[in-house]
Amino acid sequence: MRLVRGHLSDDTGVPGPARWAVRDEEGDRLLPEDFSLGEALSSGLDHFRRSLAAASGPAVTLALAAPVDRWTEVWAAGVTYRRSREARKEESHEPDIYERVYDAPRPELFFKSLGWRVRGHGQAIAVRPDSSWDVPEPELAVVVCASGEIAGYTVCDDVSSRSIEGENPLYLPQAKMYLGATALGPGIRPAWEVPDPYDLGIRLGISRGSREIWAGSASTRRLHRRIDGLVEHLLRADRYPYGVILTTGTCLVPESDFTLTPGDEVTIEIDGLGRLVTPVSAVDGIDLWRDLPGR
């Protein structure tokens, strides 16, 4: 079962307003029109479970969009895998800071996106026009209730400019936060259906035209930090009354001679969570208004 968000089309093929649904083997069973992810996450895990139980009616098929509300906050953790540490050291003029944060008690946490910027399955991610070195970063993302309980998991692509962050670590917001830099999907798998989040295979494939130009696989077994520890640090001095999504870092980073270009296609798959496929565009090629959550 997955919590998904998407559009139904009318008889003429025109997509209607975005709706939330519970997806199972039979299709998508719609949730009430006033359902929102924020309200479902506004208390604890029991409330989230009851909110999903409200799905009803005959199965339909939604054209998927990002599984977020317009104002859902997405945060990210960095340097949580050894491969990420090595990649950051490789790209940076100041590599020692990544060595220190990898082993430090306090993790690196940073704001990544609001929901209205997030891309979904089939929607384009983007590379910045002022960046010369861009990569996808496949990550396990954790969906967290206002109570701090983990409600579910989804797939994330934390698209990044390695050239901008490598020039100066203080440029991280520009390297990580821009239109098309975050993708989530295809849906949210409830936490009670994921028996061990530390034993999930992750696969990344990048295609250019008809040819796969990069592929790799890893596992969350290599995660250097505890997921509940990352969540605890995020909540130490803040509150998220409508829940929050936290990505847990990447374990797959293409080599230094690789960069994304418009026209590529990125496929990320995590065991039990599904496959997130996104074409690559320039920033000005994204049709934001068409895909804006809530429309």
Side-chain angles (χ1 to χ4, degrees):
M1 178 176 75
R2 293 177 183 85
L3 174 62
V4 299
R5 178 181 160 274
H7 300 270
L8 280 171
S9 297
D10 62 20
D11 294 338
T12 65
V14 176
R19 291 288 302 271
W20 287 93
V22 171
R23 172 168 290 188
D24 56 24
E25 295 82 0
E26 297 181 359
D28 301 329
R29 291 178 295 114
L30 292 174
L31 286 154
E33 288 190 32
D34 61 353
F35 177 93
S36 71
L37 180 63
E39 198 284 326
L41 296 174
S42 64
S43 182
L45 186 58
D46 288 344
H47 177 70
F48 181 72
R49 187 191 287 263
R50 289 194 300 271
S51 297
L52 270 56
S56 63
V60 297
T61 300
L62 295 177
L64 292 176
V68 290
D69 292 337
R70 183 177 299 196
W71 302 114
T72 301
E73 291 191 34
V74 182
W75 285 70
V79 201
T80 56
Y81 289 86
R82 182 177 296 275
R83 176 67 185 106
S84 179
R85 181 190 67 173
E86 297 305 316
R88 298 289 88 79
K89 288 169 61 179
E90 176 184 293
E91 77 191 18
S92 180
H93 296 302
E94 301 178 50
D96 61 310
I97 68 169
Y98 297 99
E99 186 76 40
R100 294 201 306 272
V101 77
Y102 181 78
D103 293 317
R106 183 186 297 275
E108 178 194 15
L109 299 176
F110 56 91
F111 179 77
K112 178 68 180 177
S113 185
L114 283 173
W116 64 266
R117 282 197 182 95
V118 176
R119 315 302 290 159
H121 177 79
Q123 298 173 345
I125 56 175
V127 292
R128 289 183 63 118
D130 54 353
S131 173
S132 60
W133 186 10
D134 303 278
V135 295
E137 294 188 3
E139 305 188 12
L140 173 69
V142 184
V143 182
V144 183
C145 295
S147 66
E149 295 174 279
I150 294 174
Y153 301 89
T154 189
V155 181
C156 177
D157 187 358
D158 171 18
V159 190
S160 303
S161 167
R162 295 185 67 183
S163 60
I164 291 176
E165 185 180 358
E167 184 178 346
N168 189 317
L170 294 179
Y171 295 160
L172 181 139
Q174 296 172 76
K176 293 280 193 177
M177 301 168 224
Y178 61 89
L179 184 62
T182 310
L184 293 170
I188 297 169
R189 189 74 181 266
W192 56 87
E193 294 192 355
V194 181
D196 186 0
Y198 301 99
D199 191 24
L200 301 176
I202 302 176
R203 288 165 291 280
L204 168 64
I206 306 169
S207 299
R208 187 165 291 165
S210 60
R211 184 169 61 93
E212 186 174 68
I213 58 173
W214 199 90
S217 62
S219 170
T220 56
R221 288 192 300 270
R222 302 179 185 178
L223 185 60
H224 180 61
R225 295 185 182 270
R226 296 287 303 178
I227 293 171
D228 53 358
L230 294 173
V231 172
E232 188 272 330
H233 274 86
L234 184 65
L235 298 177
R236 274 191 179 185
D238 211 345
R239 297 294 180 269
Y240 299 89
Y242 302 106
V244 63
I245 295 177
L246 175 63
T247 74
T248 58
T250 191
C251 51
L252 288 167
V253 182
E255 294 75 15
S256 59
D257 60 351
F258 175 87
T259 187
L260 285 174
T261 62
D264 292 349
E265 184 176 81
V266 176
T267 300
I268 300 171
E269 186 172 8
I270 298 181
D271 290 347
L273 306 187
R275 181 185 293 112
L276 174 65
V277 181
T278 52
V280 181
S281 170
V283 170
D284 60 7
I286 290 181
D287 187 349
L288 173 65
W289 296 107
R290 182 191 64 192
D291 302 323
L292 188 67
R295 290 175 66 88

